[in-house]
């Protein structure tokens, strides 16, 4: 029982990453691996900032800007230099590994001795655990509302159309280089904020904390879509957030059941592989039903 | 309205797959001209169309629309002046988005998108009216995803989108070729309706000689990257397929051997 609040809290903090992955993977139709670098970049930037005495919200804002810049780099590589999007993301991700080490000065920074966004408010009346839940909820709510609004605007619609049909949107006067870069910038900003929040909640930033984040993001997106639907953009956003919560719950349950934590990434990868191949199996099942 | 002067385009120059697609094409269109373009496979029809639309830049020559030199403009910038309907019915619309959202995007062709709401309710009635004119019952399905529509419906919608903001030039790239004969006839009738009633300057590629003769006020035939035949006005009105074949033989010095052209 005492696992419920931490599970939901982690799910909320990681759902910002899931929304970021949703924006590239579903809206732009690009598998953007930059997240593996921009997530620890957000963590590193915020951690270094906090240790330098910044206000936690300032640290998160600067982390977001750092994430945006990494999105610009990937976007530049794949639009202006015509490097395939998957490879462009890998290049940025690898480059960010070195950048993150520079930002932190070493491979790991502890945040146990500094004020974070989770312990400067509430004046000690609320436990740190509940604070994470509350702050996470506020961040997710704001992000959800802003994303829903933005992707409903003219610019947002142009980004959505870019992911759907580049010929169509260019024939309607939109520069697809700009919309792709913009999508990557927004996505990686959210991923970096997610990294900044997770680092503060866990009490440390580590240069290796980005490993597997793309798969965690994909798992959340797909679980959410399968369980909660994709009828409209609003529905998709809610599904992705709930998907992140369900993913954390599944992880908590299998760990509780005795799965060694070292096998977590293997488990997640298998989960995502099964989920991604669902359409194929669903098609085969349908066929069998028709013929049999 | 459109002034194309001596444009050249070679694909994969200097390689084994080098293909000279356009060798010195010049074409001047007056405002309101409705020109049909025919030619065999590889004659350069689509290359000409894509050169104008800006899908790629030409190697030599210039393209001017309404006095403005657009030769060096990118595809998206040219969209300000040019409305397009593609051969592939999937290409002109965004399948995952609603009919209304597609129309809203088309209603902004040529201006920068802003942060105001994309599908304002105020536009709804206008879209409904416009869709009604297509006679496809789409006016009641504004919130349907475009992916649910048939190829013919999508092509009709694309045509509406391409002309929603009046284009200085309308490019139709074999836009009925992928449709069944009955639907193709409907979309073509709709095309004639829209182009003639609004006197749109139009360039239409077709594989169908009959359509090329019955539509528009001018016909050009491309062959081997050059304009071989160019007839307009009274002369075009009385032209038959037989005349056209005779003209081709005389001009090209060989018989027309494009099955696609002859069979349709």
């Amino acid at each position: 029982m005492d696992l419920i609040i931490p599970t939901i809290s982690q799910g909320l903090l990681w759902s910002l990453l899931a929304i970021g992955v949703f924006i590239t993977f579903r809206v732009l139709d690009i598998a953007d691996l930059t997240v593996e670098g921009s997530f620890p970049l957000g963590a590193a930037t915020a951690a270094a900032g906090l240790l330098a005495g910044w206000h936690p919200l300032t640290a998160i804002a600067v982390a977001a800007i750092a994430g945006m810049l990494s999105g610009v780099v990937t976007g530049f590589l794949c639009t202006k230099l015509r490097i395939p999007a998957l490879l462009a993301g890998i290049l940025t991700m690898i480059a960010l590994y070195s950048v993150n080490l520079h930002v932190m000065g070493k491979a790991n920074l502890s945040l146990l001795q500094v004020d974070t966004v989770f312990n400067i408010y509430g004046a000690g009346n609320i436990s740190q655990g509940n604070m994470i839940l509350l702050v996470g909820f506020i961040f997710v709510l704001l992000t959800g509302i802003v994303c829903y609004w933005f992707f409903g605007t003219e610019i947002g619609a142009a980004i959505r159309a870019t992911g759907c049909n580049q010929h169509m949107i260019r024939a309607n006067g939109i520069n697809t280089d700009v919309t792709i870069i913009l999508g990557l910038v927004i996505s990686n900003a959210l991923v970096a904020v997610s990294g900044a929040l997770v680092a503060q909640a866990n009490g440390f930033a580590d240069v290796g904390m980005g490993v597997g984040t793309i798969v965690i993001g994909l798992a959340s997106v797909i679980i959410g879509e399968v369980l909660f639907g994709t009828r409209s953009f609003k529905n998709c956003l809610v599904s992705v957030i709930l998907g992140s919560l369900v993913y954390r719950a599944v992880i908590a349950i299998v760990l509780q059941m005795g799965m060694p934590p070292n096998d977590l990434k293997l488990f997640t990868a298998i989960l995502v592989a099964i989920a991604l191949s669902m359409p194929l199996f669903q098609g085969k099942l349908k066929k069998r039903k028709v013929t049999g | 309205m459109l002034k194309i002067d001596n444009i050249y385009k070679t694909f994969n120059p200097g390689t084994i797959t080098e293909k000279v697609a356009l060798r010195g094409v010049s074409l001047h269109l007056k405002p309101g001209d409705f020109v049909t373009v025919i030619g065999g496979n590889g004659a350069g029809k689509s290359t000409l169309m894509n050169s104008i639309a800006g899908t790629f830049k030409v190697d030599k020559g210039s393209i001017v629309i309404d006095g403005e030199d657009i030769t060096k403009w990118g595809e998206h910038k040219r969209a300000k002046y040019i409305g397009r309907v593609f051969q592939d019915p999937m290409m002109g619309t965004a399948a995952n988005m609603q009919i209304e959202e597609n129309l809203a995007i088309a209603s902004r062709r040529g201006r920068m998108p802003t942060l105001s709401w994309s599908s304002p309710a105020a536009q709804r009635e206008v879209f409904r009216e416009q869709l009604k004119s297509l006679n496809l019952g789409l006016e009641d399905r504004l919130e349907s995803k475009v992916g649910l529509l048939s190829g013919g419906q999508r092509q009709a919608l694309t045509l509406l989108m391409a002309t929603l903001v009046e284009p200085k030039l309308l490019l139709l790239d074999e836009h009925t070729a992928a449709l069944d004969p009955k639907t193709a006839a409907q979309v073509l009738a709709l095309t004639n309706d829209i182009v003639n009633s609004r006197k749109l300057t139009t360039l239409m590629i077709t594989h169908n000689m009959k359509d090329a003769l019955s539509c528009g006020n001018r016909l050009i035939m491309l062959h081997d990257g050059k304009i071989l035949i160019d007839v307009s006005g009274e002369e075009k009105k009385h032209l038959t397929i037989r005349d056209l074949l005779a003209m081709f033989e005389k001009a090209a010095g060989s018989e027309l051997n494009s099955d696609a052209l002859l069979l349709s």
Side-chain angles (χ1 to χ4, degrees):
Chain A
M1 275 318 269
D2 51 348
L3 274 177
I4 292 184
I5 287 183
T7 303
I8 298 176
S9 306
Q10 287 288 322
L12 287 172
L13 301 186
W14 284 87
S15 71
L16 297 180
L17 165 99
I19 296 174
V21 171
F22 166 75
I23 290 169
T24 48
F25 188 63
R26 285 299 189 221
V27 177
L28 276 184
D29 199 18
I30 289 173
D32 175 33
L33 289 179
T34 314
V35 297
E36 301 250 326
S38 54
F39 185 83
L41 174 67
T45 311
L50 288 172
L51 287 170
W54 295 356
H55 188 277
L57 289 179
T58 312
I60 292 169
V62 176
I65 292 167
M68 286 179 181
L69 290 176
S70 62
V72 170
V73 172
T74 303
F76 179 80
L77 293 175
C78 76
T79 58
K80 301 296 177 196
L81 301 187
R82 313 259 155 180
I83 296 172
L86 197 62
L87 190 52
I90 292 175
L91 292 174
T92 313
M93 164 188 111
I94 291 297
L96 282 175
Y97 189 86
S98 299
V99 173
N100 293 340
L101 280 173
H102 276 293
V103 170
M104 294 199 290
K106 52 185 177 176
N108 190 299
L109 288 181
S110 168
L111 295 175
L112 296 175
Q113 307 301 322
V114 294
D115 283 344
T116 68
V117 71
F118 303 117
N119 62 20
I120 53 163
Y121 302 106
N125 295 329
I126 312 173
S127 73
Q128 164 119 351
N130 287 341
M131 230 18 231
I132 296 177
L133 186 69
L134 183 65
V135 172
F137 180 76
I138 292 170
F139 265 89
V140 171
L141 188 69
L142 287 178
T143 305
I145 291 170
V146 170
C147 278
Y148 174 69
W149 164 76
F150 177 76
F151 284 99
T153 65
E154 296 176 0
I155 294 174
I159 295 176
R160 284 187 292 138
T162 302
C164 185
N165 184 345
Q166 295 200 17
H167 296 286
M168 173 268 186
I169 196 68
R170 275 200 294 268
N172 282 292
I174 301 293
N175 186 345
T176 47
D177 288 356
V178 173
T179 48
I180 289 172
I181 294 175
L182 205 52
L184 288 167
V185 163
I186 296 165
S187 163
N188 283 293
L190 290 176
V191 172
V193 170
S194 183
L197 291 174
V198 167
Q200 292 179 60
N202 295 355
F204 68 92
D206 187 280
V207 73
M209 70 192 287
V211 176
T213 42
I214 180 74
V215 185
I216 293 171
L218 286 176
S220 308
V221 170
I222 297 163
I223 292 172
E225 286 177 348
V226 170
L227 294 182
F228 307 104
T230 57
R231 267 170 291 113
S232 60
F233 193 78
K234 203 193 295 177
N235 183 200
C236 284
L237 278 176
V238 174
S239 293
V240 168
I241 295 166
L242 294 178
S244 173
L245 295 174
V246 171
Y247 171 76
R248 283 296 147 189
V250 171
I251 295 298
I253 290 167
V254 293
L255 286 179
Q256 197 73 2
M257 283 163 60
M259 193 183 78
N262 284 348
D263 292 344
L264 211 54
K265 297 244 191 294
L266 177 66
F267 173 78
T268 307
I270 293 172
L271 193 72
V272 171
I274 292 172
L276 280 176
S277 55
M278 278 292 247
L280 183 75
F281 292 118
Q282 275 171 341
K284 284 207 171 131
L285 275 180
K286 256 183 216 152
K287 228 184 246 168
R288 196 170 298 167
K289 263 182 205 157
V290 172
T291 53
Chain B
M1 184 57 77
L2 172 70
K3 269 183 76 178
I4 299 175
D5 275 307
N6 210 21
I7 58 170
Y8 285 80
K9 179 69 193 177
T10 303
F11 292 107
N12 309 319
T15 68
I16 194 151
T17 52
E18 180 174 290
K19 163 92 182 119
V20 183
L22 294 176
R23 24 184 125 225
V25 171
S26 296
L27 181 66
H28 294 194
L29 264 57
K30 292 198 287 288
D33 266 353
F34 182 1
V35 181
T36 55
V37 183
I38 54 172
N41 291 330
K45 307 186 298 286
S46 289
T47 309
L48 174 64
M49 214 55 125
N50 291 333
S51 301
I52 300 169
T55 313
F56 43 72
K57 306 271 190 310
V58 294
D59 301 333
K60 230 168 87 179
S62 71
I63 303 169
V64 176
I65 289 187
D66 205 12
E68 195 145 12
D69 189 340
I70 62 163
T71 317
K72 294 201 163 57
W73 288 18
E75 190 178 6
H76 61 92
K77 200 172 168 200
R78 296 188 196 193
K80 190 159 86 176
Y81 298 147
I82 298 175
R84 285 159 81 189
V85 184
F86 305 90
Q87 176 171 3
D88 181 353
M90 305 298 140
M91 263 168 83
T93 44
N96 298 343
M97 299 174 80
Q98 299 167 349
I99 293 179
E100 184 178 44
E101 291 180 303
N102 273 272
L103 284 166
I105 287 172
S107 74
R108 299 192 285 271
R109 183 166 51 76
R111 78 163 170 81
M112 288 291 273
T114 66
L115 281 177
S116 43
W117 197 246
S118 173
S119 315
Q123 279 187 313
R124 222 160 219 224
E125 276 317 301
V126 182
F127 292 162
R128 220 186 285 274
E129 272 320 295
Q130 301 267 0
L131 286 169
K132 221 178 238 170
S133 69
L134 301 181
N135 274 325
L136 294 169
L138 295 180
E139 63 272 19
D140 303 320
R141 299 176 60 187
L142 276 176
E143 292 186 8
S144 296
K145 298 260 168 84
V146 168
L148 298 172
L149 306 184
S150 70
Q153 288 174 323
R154 281 181 79 163
Q155 229 34 352
L157 180 62
T158 310
L159 193 60
L160 179 61
M161 285 167 62
T163 54
L164 205 54
V165 175
E166 185 144 325
K168 285 183 192 283
L169 177 68
L170 180 62
L171 296 180
L172 308 170
D173 187 355
E174 293 196 58
H175 67 308
T176 62
L179 307 175
D180 66 78
K182 188 167 161 253
T183 315
Q186 282 174 347
V187 171
L188 192 66
L190 185 68
T191 307
N192 274 315
D193 248 21
I194 291 176
V195 171
N196 293 332
S197 69
R198 291 165 61 184
K199 308 234 175 322
L200 300 176
T201 313
T202 304
L203 209 54
M204 176 173 92
I205 297 185
T206 172
H207 248 122
N208 188 317
M209 280 199 168
K210 221 166 75 231
D211 293 345
L213 289 170
S214 67
C215 300
N217 64 337
R218 186 172 166 191
L219 177 152
I220 62 172
M221 185 182 210
L222 285 168
H223 179 67
D224 207 15
K226 276 187 241 170
I227 294 178
L228 196 66
I229 295 171
D230 185 347
V231 286
S232 53
E234 281 303 306
E235 193 189 357
K236 174 174 182 294
K237 263 187 205 157
H238 302 113
L239 208 62
T240 63
I241 293 184
R242 194 185 290 263
D243 298 338
L244 210 50
L245 292 177
M247 285 171 84
F248 178 86
E249 267 175 51
K250 205 172 140 210
S254 68
E255 271 190 50
L256 189 59
N257 58 0
S258 166
D259 290 347
L261 261 183
L262 292 174
L263 290 175
S264 53

